[in-house]
Amino acid sequence: MNIENLGFETINLGHGSGGELTRDLLDKVIFKTFSNPFLDQKHDGSIVKFEGEIAISTDSFVITPIFFKGGNIGGLAVHGTVNDVAMCGAIPKYLSLAFIIEEGLKVSEFIKIVQSIKRAADESGVLIITGDTKVVERGKGDKIFINTTGFGEMHSKANISVHNIKEGDKILVNGYIAQHGMAIMSEREGLEFESTIESDSTNLNFLVKDLLDKFGNKIKLFRDPTRGGLGTVLHEIANDISKGVFLKEEFIPLEKQVAAACEMLGLDPMYVANEGVFLVVVDSSIEHEVLALMRNHEKGKNAALIGEITNEHPNKVVMQSLIGGKRIVSPLIGEQLPRIC
């Protein structure tokens, strides 16, 4: 996309006025990039058809910085909502897309974000079918905020609920934890360190579908440990089912550079945000098959079996450490790192 043909280099308040400048921004950037039969109608909404139950999830993205190693706020906004719909046991199909842009944002940056959204949507197999754009005065925002709402059709074999979990069920994750949070940390002013850590932001819906296709209702639960990390999500599950969670630290996949960065900054990787990780609770009879399927998939090649559900220590998460001792993994109180997604 040639910025010179747009006739403007920064976003100003006129681009949110609903008038000529708004139409220029929409026609030359948004509609041109996301063109499809739904969006091309240029209505205030879209009419779509589903055959059965649908899952809906909405999320707002306020991350800073908006560009980071491994991605930017645009791709993150797609991945985050696509994954939330998939965690329900649904197949994501459509997204709404809304921007709140601060006056003064460079059009070149906005275009990079829009193009990243397009790539992420295409890779996820979803269409952008409706949206909104608003502009706020300089100093009233932080460059750009994005809201996405996802719509997906429930998988015919899905029966995802914490109430299906029982003692002995196994807990697996699809890959290295804490990548996203540490990538953002490395970008933050005053917290920078020599690092090649990249965000793990990616779509997980196709791996989730493969698991449901093969194992159906023996898949008890999916969760993506974004804010609050793996430790917080596991604690929520333990509380919801009034059972215990037992983990082995040696099996939790953690890349060495991420582990070193966490140690240097005094952070526990169990509470660091992820954007390309999900945990799955499965019947013990399929644990090895699930692990094998995940490891044969691009988005699960570093998958690991990390623990199980137990009737011991109800409502608590207990982890056996590398040296053999045990510790309680408490819920995160407050925020280790704000504006992470």
Side-chain angles (χ1 to χ4, degrees):
M1 186 178 297
N2 192 337
I3 297 176
E4 293 179 0
N5 293 338
L6 297 178
F8 48 87
E9 294 183 356
T10 60
I11 304 294
N12 61 56
L13 288 175
H15 289 110
S17 68
E20 194 74 24
L21 287 176
T22 301
R23 179 53 55 185
D24 272 354
L25 186 66
L26 294 178
D27 285 344
K28 295 178 181 179
V29 181
I30 303 300
F31 291 130
K32 184 175 180 180
T33 301
F34 300 116
S35 177
N36 64 64
F38 297 100
L39 199 62
D40 291 348
Q41 296 179 52
K42 299 183 181 181
H43 291 319
D44 286 338
S46 286
I47 299 171
V48 296
K49 184 177 181 180
F50 290 93
E51 297 300 327
E53 291 184 315
I54 65 171
I56 303 171
S57 181
T58 192
D59 206 348
S60 297
F61 297 85
V62 297
I63 191 169
T64 183
I66 59 175
F67 294 96
F68 47 85
K69 291 175 183 175
N72 63 57
I73 190 173
L76 179 65
V78 174
H79 296 149
T81 297
V82 162
N83 293 343
D84 284 346
V85 171
M87 293 303 104
C88 298
I91 300 169
K93 297 184 72 173
Y94 305 113
L95 287 180
S96 72
L97 173 66
F99 298 106
I100 298 176
I101 307 170
E102 183 185 20
E103 179 186 19
L105 178 71
K106 293 179 180 179
V107 171
S108 60
E109 291 185 333
F110 182 61
I111 289 173
K112 286 180 183 178
I113 290 167
V114 168
Q115 290 173 337
S116 179
I117 291 170
K118 172 63 173 171
R119 284 194 301 272
D122 289 347
E123 290 167 0
S124 303
V126 297
L127 291 177
I128 309 294
I129 62 170
T130 189
D132 185 45
T133 301
K134 295 291 191 299
V135 180
V136 297
E137 300 94 333
R138 194 183 300 268
K140 299 291 186 179
D142 190 359
K143 292 189 175 181
I144 186 170
F145 300 147
I146 301 176
N147 174 273
T148 48
T149 299
F151 304 82
E153 194 161 20
M154 289 302 297
H155 193 288
S156 61
K157 295 183 178 180
N159 184 18
I160 305 300
S161 173
V162 292
H163 303 297
N164 296 331
I165 297 174
K166 67 179 189 301
E167 182 189 13
D169 286 346
K170 304 299 182 180
I171 305 166
L172 300 92
V173 294
N174 68 305
Y176 293 132
I177 68 168
Q179 298 279 137
H180 177 71
M182 296 316 298
I184 301 305
M185 179 70 84
S186 71
E187 301 279 350
R188 293 277 172 92
E189 184 178 356
L191 296 174
E192 293 183 1
F193 50 85
E194 288 295 326
S195 169
T196 58
I197 300 170
E198 291 190 356
S199 169
D200 62 346
S201 180
T202 192
N203 63 296
L204 302 168
N205 51 312
F206 295 118
L207 176 52
V208 167
K209 181 181 182 299
D210 287 350
L211 289 168
L212 289 171
D213 284 346
K214 184 168 183 178
F215 302 109
N217 62 14
K218 288 189 177 181
I219 301 290
K220 308 295 184 70
L221 189 72
F222 293 113
R223 286 282 172 86
D224 56 341
T226 51
R227 286 176 299 172
L230 185 62
T232 298
V233 168
L234 288 169
H235 195 273
E236 290 172 354
I237 292 171
N239 269 333
D240 287 343
I241 64 177
S242 298
K243 295 184 184 296
V245 170
F246 178 70
L247 306 173
K248 288 193 174 182
E249 186 177 12
E250 64 179 304
F251 296 144
I252 295 174
L254 182 64
E255 198 270 328
K256 289 182 179 179
Q257 189 175 200
V258 173
C262 286
E263 185 174 357
M264 183 174 72
L265 294 170
L267 298 175
D268 187 337
M270 290 293 290
Y271 301 113
V272 175
N274 310 273
E275 288 293 345
V277 171
F278 71 92
L279 66 85
V280 55
V281 182
V282 307
D283 190 276
S284 60
S285 66
I286 60 169
E287 58 180 287
H288 299 300
E289 292 178 83
V290 169
L291 185 60
L293 187 154
M294 292 172 76
R295 286 180 172 172
N296 282 327
H297 195 284
E298 178 191 359
K299 304 297 174 70
K301 58 187 177 182
N302 296 307
L305 173 63
I306 64 170
E308 65 180 324
I309 305 297
T310 176
N311 282 331
E312 298 179 21
H313 50 80
N315 302 93
K316 291 183 173 62
V317 179
V318 173
M319 182 159 67
Q320 183 175 302
S321 71
L322 294 173
I323 59 174
K326 294 179 180 179
R327 72 176 177 96
I328 292 177
V329 179
S330 303
L332 179 65
I333 298 175
E335 184 72 76
Q336 267 203 139
L337 182 62
R339 302 286 299 280
I340 199 73
C341 61

